[in-house]
Amino acid sequence: MRLNLDTNKILVTGGSGMLGHAVQTVLPSAVYLSSADGDLKQWEETVRLFEQHKPDIVINLAGRIGGVKANMQNMGNFYYDNMQINTNVIEACRIFGVNKLLSTLSTCIYPDKAPHPLKESDIHSGPPHSSNYAYAYSKRMVDVQSRAYRKQYGCNFTTVVLNNLFGENDNFDLEESHIIPAIIRKVWEAKINNKPFIECWGDGSPLREFTYSKDTARILLFLLEKYDKEHPINIGNTNEYHIKEVVETICSILEYDGVIKWDTTKPSGQYRKPSTNQKLLDLGWQNEWYTSLEKGLTKTCEWVKLNYPNIRGVS
């Protein structure tokens, strides 16, 4: 289905988050919803928002997310909140006749023992990693519900799989955040407070893929016009980096020369989960269009320096 993005009314849920802010840079005319506008966990609130805005296209970015610590400590909350949000948004898109729904998943949905690189066809072939299985299963259900609605109702609902995102406007709460914002905050606060060391979970050996949020925003816009298939599509930058390497790069960018201590009594998380983005490349995206990790981290760190402490999770 070819969509005219200039004439269709686009609604973006989760509009106040990091990725929502990034999407605003490429789709400034869309309507961006945040939790302040209404609670998508509540069906009546969801209906009210859809009646108010009557969107033609929906990009569903809303959800409760967090790093290893937050996932392990809040499994029930993560499962319930995400199931409610996604079920309500998808059903509302059906009822209100939305022409296209693009929902976001995460590579954590993949089975812990899936062969590498992670391919979209393997999503449901085994249980996810124990550290985030509740969140992972809730996001797998977005794929299931989207495909079920496509089959029964003919809805043009598609899903994309993100890997570890980072960028400006991230959540820097040390209890809820992912690895990069947590480390940036720790390093910056250690620097401005003259602390001699920072402490990180695990041993720094796990490998992760990281994608700059504004790259993801551009890919979502690309896929609104290029991808209408029923099955999920991986869209992340597939370069892998050791967590230790990421921490050291952030220290270098922020010019922090203190000691990095690794608390090996804490979990490191899944060791590797490399993915393939071949389906995206086949549509015409190019690997060289991704922002390098160091460049993206530099932009993010500069933003933090300019805005601290008035950033999400701190103030």
Side-chain angles (χ1 to χ4, degrees), residues 108-119:
C108 74
I109 66 176
Y110 280 102
D112 184 27
K113 304 301 183 183
H116 295 160
L118 301 172
K119 298 179 181 179

Side-chain angles (χ1 to χ4, degrees), residues 16-307:
S16 63
M18 172 185 61
L19 186 51
H21 275 95
V23 173
Q24 288 185 49
T25 65
V26 294
L27 278 175
S29 62
V31 174
Y32 292 86
L33 297 180
S34 72
S35 57
D37 299 302
D39 185 358
L40 294 174
K41 297 191 299 296
Q42 304 299 322
W43 173 243
E44 293 78 9
E45 285 286 281
T46 307
V47 170
R48 178 183 64 79
L49 291 168
F50 273 73
E51 284 180 337
Q52 177 182 347
H53 297 289
K54 297 179 173 60
D56 302 305
I57 300 169
V58 173
I59 303 175
N60 184 22
L61 309 179
R64 183 169 181 177
I65 61 173
V68 173
K69 182 178 182 180
N71 268 282
M72 293 181 70
Q73 293 180 344
N74 302 281
M75 288 187 176
N77 297 121
F78 272 57
Y79 182 82
Y80 179 83
D81 289 352
N82 285 295
M83 285 295 294
Q84 294 296 106
I85 291 168
N86 291 315
T87 299
N88 287 343
V89 169
I90 293 172
E91 175 68 357
C93 286
R94 178 189 75 81
I95 290 175
F96 286 89
V98 168
N99 293 327
K100 184 166 187 175
L101 166 64
L102 194 64
S103 297
T104 51
L105 313 179
S106 165
T107 51
C108 74
I109 66 176
Y110 280 102
D112 184 27
K113 304 301 183 183
H116 295 160
L118 301 172
K119 298 179 181 179
E120 296 87 349
S121 57
D122 292 328
I123 287 174
H124 299 283
S125 62
H129 192 266
S130 59
S131 65
N132 57 18
Y133 77 91
Y135 174 78
Y137 275 121
S138 73
K139 299 302 282 187
R140 283 190 190 185
M141 291 303 102
V142 178
D143 168 47
V144 172
Q145 189 177 358
S146 297
R147 288 190 288 114
Y149 278 40
R150 179 183 288 264
K151 192 173 187 68
Q152 181 172 351
Y153 305 113
C155 298
N156 185 19
F157 295 172
T158 62
T159 56
V160 302
V161 185
L162 317 176
N163 53 24
N164 295 280
L165 300 189
F166 71 96
E168 300 90 337
N169 298 288
D170 207 337
N171 180 7
F172 293 84
D173 186 308
L174 295 179
E175 297 296 319
E176 294 277 334
S177 64
H178 285 100
I179 180 66
I180 283 182
I183 295 304
I184 289 176
R185 178 177 174 181
K186 285 183 178 182
V187 172
W188 182 241
E189 290 182 344
K191 178 177 176 62
I192 63 177
N193 293 306
N194 297 311
K195 291 184 177 179
F197 69 90
I198 61 167
E199 190 171 273
C200 304
W201 277 32
D203 62 6
S205 65
L207 288 156
R208 290 291 182 270
E209 302 167 330
F210 296 98
T211 306
Y212 184 47
S213 58
K214 290 182 179 178
D215 292 346
T216 303
R218 291 187 295 118
I219 295 170
L220 293 178
L221 181 60
F222 176 81
L223 292 177
L224 280 179
E225 300 185 278
K226 297 284 189 179
Y227 192 72
D228 288 314
K229 301 292 180 64
E230 65 174 311
H231 294 291
I233 178 171
N234 293 335
I235 67 170
N237 189 335
T238 57
N239 293 327
E240 286 187 290
Y241 300 88
H242 288 285
I243 298 298
K244 182 178 180 181
E245 181 181 359
V246 175
V247 175
E248 291 171 348
T249 300
I250 291 170
C251 288
S252 175
I253 292 170
L254 292 175
E255 299 179 327
Y256 176 69
D257 57 5
V259 175
I260 303 169
K261 294 185 178 181
W262 295 95
D263 185 354
T264 56
T265 67
K266 298 292 195 299
S268 296
Q270 198 169 354
Y271 181 67
R272 288 186 75 207
K273 46 181 181 178
S275 60
T276 174
N277 63 352
Q278 190 57 52
K279 285 173 65 173
L280 179 65
L281 300 180
D282 290 343
L283 292 174
W285 186 261
Q286 304 293 316
N287 274 328
E288 56 265 29
W289 294 348
Y290 289 109
T291 302
S292 70
L293 178 64
E294 184 170 3
K295 184 176 181 180
L297 287 176
T298 300
K299 289 177 177 288
T300 305
C301 288
E302 288 301 315
W303 180 87
V304 169
K305 289 164 64 176
L306 287 172
N307 290 279

